Amino acid sequence: ECAYRAKLAALFAALIIDPAALLNSALCDRPPCLTAPAPAPPARVEAKGLPPLPPRALVRLEIGPTFFTGLGAEDRAAHWGGVLRLALGRGLVVPILGAAALWPAQTSIGGVRLRQWRLPVDLGIRATRWGSWIDFYGELGLAFALLSERALDLADARSQTGMELGGRASLGARLARRAGLTTFVALQAEFLPDPPSVFALPRGVAGRTPYVWMGACVGASWGI
């Protein structure tokens, strides 16, 4: 029984050298069994947030058609023209500068028909309330205007030029966009405590220009 004795000797040798290998081979269908691979480390999952929003525009340029009309005049004439406004800064409150070029219009003051021309300029600040769809803003500042008038029915039709100085308030809205091109609409009012007087010979002082100028504007707003 040499074969049996050799098998028994091999069994004892295996138990002495590595008993676990013998047990594993007994459980395997096809010994010798391979050791189970080590479990892979868990994949590292990184939370991905929303991409950062682009910065707000540093310079905003607004341009569009506009009109002004004076309150208190006998004949309310609409001064049509164009407006250009410049806002500088990314904060909630920024400085702003505006100017308008208006066509002359006919009006009547103290029974005297006049051809009136205005060149308004304003300087102030703008406060903006940012929204997801629409940005609302308000403006306060000083308003200046160069005013020229010429009588139409007088024999001595001389032109008169004066300067208007007062306060300005405006409310506006634009489609929300941090940069690029969008649209806006704005309403404004200019308050003049001491408007220029209108002289008409031989009558003398015919009256004063309006104390309040109302206006509106709609156009394109470009942020860069």
Side-chain angles (χ1 to χ4, degrees):
E1 299 179 356
C2 293
Y4 174 75
R5 293 177 181 176
K7 185 177 180 179
L8 188 60
L11 176 61
F12 279 102
L15 289 175
I16 295 173
I17 297 173
D18 191 359
L22 183 63
L23 295 177
N24 290 336
S25 62
L27 299 176
C28 292
D29 295 335
R30 295 180 179 179
C33 288
L34 299 177
T35 57
R44 184 177 180 183
V45 179
E46 296 182 358
K48 295 184 178 180
L50 296 176
L53 295 176
R56 301 187 189 277
L58 177 62
V59 179
R60 183 164 293 277
L61 186 66
E62 298 173 350
I63 187 171
T66 185
F67 84 94
F68 286 84
T69 184
L71 301 184
E74 299 175 7
D75 185 11
R76 294 184 181 178
H79 294 256
W80 292 91
V83 66
L84 178 65
R85 308 191 65 78
L86 177 66
L88 181 62
R90 294 191 175 98
L92 295 178
V93 179
V94 299
I96 189 166
L97 175 67
L102 306 175
W103 290 102
Q106 294 186 13
T107 186
S108 178
I109 297 178
V112 179
R113 291 199 319 117
L114 302 172
R115 184 173 178 83
Q116 193 176 68
W117 174 80
R118 294 182 76 241
L119 180 62
V121 178
D122 63 87
L123 176 65
I125 58 174
R126 170 184 290 182
T128 304
R129 182 181 181 275
W130 312 105
S132 57
W133 293 98
I134 298 178
D135 296 337
F136 296 95
Y137 59 87
E139 298 174 357
L140 290 175
L142 296 177
F144 312 89
L146 181 64
L147 181 66
S148 177
E149 295 175 328
R150 181 181 179 86
L152 299 178
D153 299 334
L154 301 181
D156 186 10
R158 296 180 180 179
S159 298
Q160 301 177 13
T161 303
M163 180 69 69
E164 295 178 337
L165 175 61
R168 176 183 177 274
S170 175
L171 293 176
R174 65 173 176 265
L175 295 179
R177 192 171 183 182
R178 290 178 172 259
L181 194 63
T182 185
T183 57
F184 79 96
V185 61
L187 300 175
Q188 71 172 25
E190 296 178 5
F191 306 94
L192 309 175
D194 187 21
S197 300
V198 177
F199 294 89
L201 295 176
R203 180 177 175 180
V205 179
R208 287 180 175 269
T209 58
Y211 285 86
V212 179
W213 289 94
M214 299 292 297
C217 179
V218 60
S221 177
W222 183 35
I224 55 177

